[in-house]
mmCIF file of all heavy atoms in Angstrom:
data_model
loop_
_atom_site.group_PDB
_atom_site.id
_atom_site.type_symbol
_atom_site.label_atom_id
_atom_site.label_comp_id
_atom_site.label_asym_id
_atom_site.label_seq_id
_atom_site.Cartn_x
_atom_site.Cartn_y
_atom_site.Cartn_z
ATOM 1 N N PRO A 47 26.665 136.387 88.038
ATOM 2 C CA PRO A 47 27.566 135.642 88.718
ATOM 3 C C PRO A 47 27.053 135.197 90.098
ATOM 4 O O PRO A 47 27.611 134.311 90.763
ATOM 5 C CB PRO A 47 28.752 136.537 88.942
ATOM 6 C CG PRO A 47 28.130 137.913 88.921
ATOM 7 C CD PRO A 47 27.045 137.862 87.838
ATOM 8 N N GLY A 48 25.851 135.793 90.461
ATOM 9 C CA GLY A 48 25.297 135.630 91.882
ATOM 10 C C GLY A 48 25.937 136.757 92.777
ATOM 11 O O GLY A 48 26.840 137.344 92.535
ATOM 12 N N ALA A 49 25.108 136.869 93.783
ATOM 13 C CA ALA A 49 25.386 137.939 94.809
ATOM 14 C C ALA A 49 24.717 137.579 96.105
ATOM 15 O O ALA A 49 23.612 136.919 96.145
ATOM 16 C CB ALA A 49 25.034 139.321 94.416
ATOM 17 N N PHE A 50 25.481 137.926 97.240
ATOM 18 C CA PHE A 50 24.899 137.458 98.607
ATOM 19 C C PHE A 50 24.307 138.737 99.355
ATOM 20 O O PHE A 50 24.693 139.822 99.123
ATOM 21 C CB PHE A 50 26.108 136.874 99.357
ATOM 22 C CG PHE A 50 26.724 135.705 98.811
ATOM 23 C CD1 PHE A 50 28.086 135.536 99.017
ATOM 24 C CD2 PHE A 50 26.090 134.848 97.915
ATOM 25 C CE1 PHE A 50 28.780 134.323 98.512
ATOM 26 C CE2 PHE A 50 26.729 133.800 97.382
ATOM 27 C CZ PHE A 50 28.081 133.533 97.724
ATOM 28 N N ASN A 51 23.329 138.382 100.174
ATOM 29 C CA ASN A 51 22.762 139.313 101.093
ATOM 30 C C ASN A 51 23.710 139.514 102.212
ATOM 31 O O ASN A 51 23.942 138.486 103.022
ATOM 32 C CB ASN A 51 21.394 138.940 101.517
ATOM 33 C CG ASN A 51 20.647 139.758 102.381
ATOM 34 O OD1 ASN A 51 21.354 140.748 103.056
ATOM 35 N ND2 ASN A 51 19.377 139.551 102.662
ATOM 36 N N PRO A 52 24.336 140.673 102.559
ATOM 37 C CA PRO A 52 25.213 140.779 103.523
ATOM 38 C C PRO A 52 24.651 140.532 104.956
ATOM 39 O O PRO A 52 25.457 140.272 105.993
ATOM 40 C CB PRO A 52 25.913 142.176 103.444
ATOM 41 C CG PRO A 52 24.822 142.935 102.597
ATOM 42 C CD PRO A 52 24.143 141.901 101.847
ATOM 43 N N ASP A 53 23.382 140.596 105.149
ATOM 44 C CA ASP A 53 22.717 140.371 106.381
ATOM 45 C C ASP A 53 22.476 138.958 106.743
ATOM 46 O O ASP A 53 22.235 138.552 107.824
ATOM 47 C CB ASP A 53 21.260 140.927 106.349
ATOM 48 C CG ASP A 53 21.298 142.546 106.186
ATOM 49 O OD1 ASP A 53 22.272 143.206 106.645
ATOM 50 O OD2 ASP A 53 20.349 143.072 105.697
ATOM 51 N N VAL A 54 22.768 138.030 105.720
ATOM 52 C CA VAL A 54 22.760 136.633 105.957
ATOM 53 C C VAL A 54 24.263 136.067 106.138
ATOM 54 O O VAL A 54 24.938 135.975 104.987
ATOM 55 C CB VAL A 54 21.933 135.972 104.980
ATOM 56 C CG1 VAL A 54 21.913 134.329 105.159
ATOM 57 C CG2 VAL A 54 20.520 136.498 104.783
ATOM 58 N N THR A 55 24.574 135.624 107.058
ATOM 59 C CA THR A 55 25.842 134.928 107.471
ATOM 60 C C THR A 55 25.568 133.558 108.117
ATOM 61 O O THR A 55 24.477 133.288 108.621
ATOM 62 C CB THR A 55 26.838 135.792 108.272
ATOM 63 O OG1 THR A 55 26.163 135.861 109.534
ATOM 64 C CG2 THR A 55 26.985 137.147 107.620
ATOM 65 N N LEU A 105 19.796 133.598 91.306
ATOM 66 C CA LEU A 105 20.778 132.384 91.066
ATOM 67 C C LEU A 105 21.161 131.837 92.478
ATOM 68 O O LEU A 105 21.081 130.735 92.718
ATOM 69 C CB LEU A 105 22.083 132.867 90.413
ATOM 70 C CG LEU A 105 23.197 131.891 90.268
ATOM 71 C CD1 LEU A 105 22.743 130.570 89.409
ATOM 72 C CD2 LEU A 105 24.432 132.463 89.624
ATOM 73 N N VAL A 106 21.581 132.793 93.429
ATOM 74 C CA VAL A 106 21.741 132.336 94.792
ATOM 75 C C VAL A 106 20.356 132.624 95.434
ATOM 76 O O VAL A 106 19.997 133.798 95.602
ATOM 77 C CB VAL A 106 22.873 133.065 95.568
ATOM 78 C CG1 VAL A 106 22.921 132.655 97.076
ATOM 79 C CG2 VAL A 106 24.296 132.887 94.846
ATOM 80 N N PRO A 107 19.582 131.628 95.698
ATOM 81 C CA PRO A 107 18.136 131.787 96.138
ATOM 82 C C PRO A 107 18.213 132.560 97.532
ATOM 83 O O PRO A 107 19.031 132.628 98.314
ATOM 84 C CB PRO A 107 17.636 130.483 96.301
ATOM 85 C CG PRO A 107 18.795 129.624 96.584
ATOM 86 C CD PRO A 107 20.034 130.209 95.737
ATOM 87 N N LEU A 110 18.915 130.868 100.499
ATOM 88 C CA LEU A 110 20.317 130.735 101.025
ATOM 89 C C LEU A 110 21.079 132.093 101.197
ATOM 90 O O LEU A 110 22.283 132.194 101.161
ATOM 91 C CB LEU A 110 21.083 129.885 99.946
ATOM 92 C CG LEU A 110 20.603 128.356 99.881
ATOM 93 C CD1 LEU A 110 21.383 127.738 98.731
ATOM 94 C CD2 LEU A 110 20.937 127.748 101.164
ATOM 95 N N GLY A 111 20.289 133.104 101.283
ATOM 96 C CA GLY A 111 20.741 134.456 101.567
ATOM 97 C C GLY A 111 21.306 135.058 100.333
ATOM 98 O O GLY A 111 22.264 135.852 100.362
ATOM 99 N N GLY A 112 20.666 134.859 99.166
ATOM 100 C CA GLY A 112 21.051 135.532 97.992
ATOM 101 C C GLY A 112 20.627 136.970 98.054
ATOM 102 O O GLY A 112 19.581 137.235 98.738
ATOM 103 N N ALA A 113 21.267 137.864 97.358
ATOM 104 C CA ALA A 113 20.921 139.329 97.359
ATOM 105 C C ALA A 113 19.604 139.421 96.553
ATOM 106 O O ALA A 113 19.397 139.059 95.436
ATOM 107 C CB ALA A 113 22.049 140.016 96.649
ATOM 108 N N PRO A 114 18.619 140.002 97.290
ATOM 109 C CA PRO A 114 17.326 140.172 96.831
ATOM 110 C C PRO A 114 17.199 140.988 95.477
ATOM 111 O O PRO A 114 16.465 140.634 94.617
ATOM 112 C CB PRO A 114 16.504 140.860 97.934
ATOM 113 C CG PRO A 114 17.238 140.548 99.175
ATOM 114 C CD PRO A 114 18.653 140.589 98.699
ATOM 115 N N ASP A 116 19.895 142.596 93.668
ATOM 116 C CA ASP A 116 20.999 142.759 92.943
ATOM 117 C C ASP A 116 20.873 142.076 91.524
ATOM 118 O O ASP A 116 20.651 140.958 91.416
ATOM 119 C CB ASP A 116 22.288 142.203 93.615
ATOM 120 C CG ASP A 116 23.597 142.562 92.928
ATOM 121 O OD1 ASP A 116 23.676 142.758 91.724
ATOM 122 O OD2 ASP A 116 24.598 142.670 93.637
ATOM 123 N N LYS A 118 22.929 141.261 89.473
ATOM 124 C CA LYS A 118 23.978 140.179 89.313
ATOM 125 C C LYS A 118 23.453 138.759 89.892
ATOM 126 O O LYS A 118 24.158 137.813 89.626
ATOM 127 C CB LYS A 118 25.243 140.614 89.881
ATOM 128 C CG LYS A 118 25.917 141.718 89.221
ATOM 129 C CD LYS A 118 27.253 142.122 89.823
ATOM 130 C CE LYS A 118 27.807 143.375 89.157
ATOM 131 N NZ LYS A 118 28.999 143.820 89.787
ATOM 132 N N ASN A 119 22.493 138.842 90.674
ATOM 133 C CA ASN A 119 21.955 137.711 91.206
ATOM 134 C C ASN A 119 20.495 137.294 90.658
ATOM 135 O O ASN A 119 19.906 136.268 91.026
ATOM 136 C CB ASN A 119 21.806 137.781 92.777
ATOM 137 C CG ASN A 119 21.560 136.498 93.463
ATOM 138 O OD1 ASN A 119 22.110 135.500 93.113
ATOM 139 N ND2 ASN A 119 20.655 136.490 94.474
ATOM 140 N N LEU A 152 26.681 127.372 105.201
ATOM 141 C CA LEU A 152 26.158 128.423 104.286
ATOM 142 C C LEU A 152 26.969 128.743 103.085
ATOM 143 O O LEU A 152 26.511 128.745 101.890
ATOM 144 C CB LEU A 152 25.770 129.617 105.062
ATOM 145 C CG LEU A 152 25.173 130.788 104.264
ATOM 146 C CD1 LEU A 152 23.800 130.443 103.662
ATOM 147 C CD2 LEU A 152 25.006 132.029 105.061
ATOM 148 N N ASP A 153 28.245 128.945 103.340
ATOM 149 C CA ASP A 153 29.219 129.230 102.256
ATOM 150 C C ASP A 153 29.251 128.162 101.210
ATOM 151 O O ASP A 153 29.406 128.370 100.043
ATOM 152 C CB ASP A 153 30.549 129.561 102.808
ATOM 153 C CG ASP A 153 30.576 130.992 103.460
ATOM 154 O OD1 ASP A 153 29.760 131.787 103.170
ATOM 155 O OD2 ASP A 153 31.621 131.232 104.130
ATOM 156 N N ALA A 154 29.336 126.899 101.741
ATOM 157 C CA ALA A 154 29.404 125.654 100.749
ATOM 158 C C ALA A 154 28.109 125.580 99.806
ATOM 159 O O ALA A 154 28.230 125.436 98.698
ATOM 160 C CB ALA A 154 29.643 124.398 101.574
ATOM 161 N N ALA A 155 27.022 125.803 100.495
ATOM 162 C CA ALA A 155 25.747 125.735 99.726
ATOM 163 C C ALA A 155 25.594 126.867 98.759
ATOM 164 O O ALA A 155 25.304 126.674 97.580
ATOM 165 C CB ALA A 155 24.510 125.800 100.718
ATOM 166 N N ARG A 156 25.939 128.131 99.074
ATOM 167 C CA ARG A 156 25.909 129.249 98.295
ATOM 168 C C ARG A 156 26.920 129.067 97.084
ATOM 169 O O ARG A 156 26.526 129.356 95.914
ATOM 170 C CB ARG A 156 26.298 130.540 99.015
ATOM 171 C CG ARG A 156 25.180 131.010 99.876
ATOM 172 C CD ARG A 156 25.922 132.185 100.701
ATOM 173 N NE ARG A 156 24.944 133.212 101.191
ATOM 174 C CZ ARG A 156 25.254 134.190 101.949
ATOM 175 N NH1 ARG A 156 26.484 134.521 102.169
ATOM 176 N NH2 ARG A 156 24.164 134.995 102.468
ATOM 177 N N ASN A 157 28.050 128.674 97.318
ATOM 178 C CA ASN A 157 29.089 128.563 96.369
ATOM 179 C C ASN A 157 28.795 127.342 95.304
ATOM 180 O O ASN A 157 28.914 127.542 94.058
ATOM 181 C CB ASN A 157 30.518 128.337 96.937
ATOM 182 C CG ASN A 157 31.071 129.701 97.563
ATOM 183 O OD1 ASN A 157 30.666 130.763 97.125
ATOM 184 N ND2 ASN A 157 31.743 129.446 98.625
ATOM 185 N N ALA A 158 28.211 126.341 95.934
ATOM 186 C CA ALA A 158 27.814 125.180 95.002
ATOM 187 C C ALA A 158 26.698 125.635 94.054
ATOM 188 O O ALA A 158 26.800 125.307 92.859
ATOM 189 C CB ALA A 158 27.441 124.049 95.826
ATOM 190 N N ILE A 159 25.713 126.312 94.547
ATOM 191 C CA ILE A 159 24.501 126.693 93.745
ATOM 192 C C ILE A 159 24.911 127.797 92.720
ATOM 193 O O ILE A 159 24.467 127.731 91.590
ATOM 194 C CB ILE A 159 23.284 126.972 94.438
ATOM 195 C CG1 ILE A 159 21.998 126.843 93.700
ATOM 196 C CG2 ILE A 159 23.357 128.441 95.125
ATOM 197 C CD1 ILE A 159 20.826 126.601 94.427
ATOM 198 N N ALA A 160 25.710 128.741 93.116
ATOM 199 C CA ALA A 160 26.132 129.751 92.232
ATOM 200 C C ALA A 160 27.006 129.250 91.147
ATOM 201 O O ALA A 160 27.008 129.783 90.068
ATOM 202 C CB ALA A 160 26.936 130.909 93.046
#
Side-chain angles (χ1 to χ4, degrees):
F50 304 149
N51 179 342
D53 296 333
V54 180
T55 65
L105 178 60
V106 178
L110 293 175
D116 190 330
K118 292 177 182 176
N119 195 43
L152 179 62
D153 283 345
R156 284 175 162 177
N157 290 328
I159 203 161

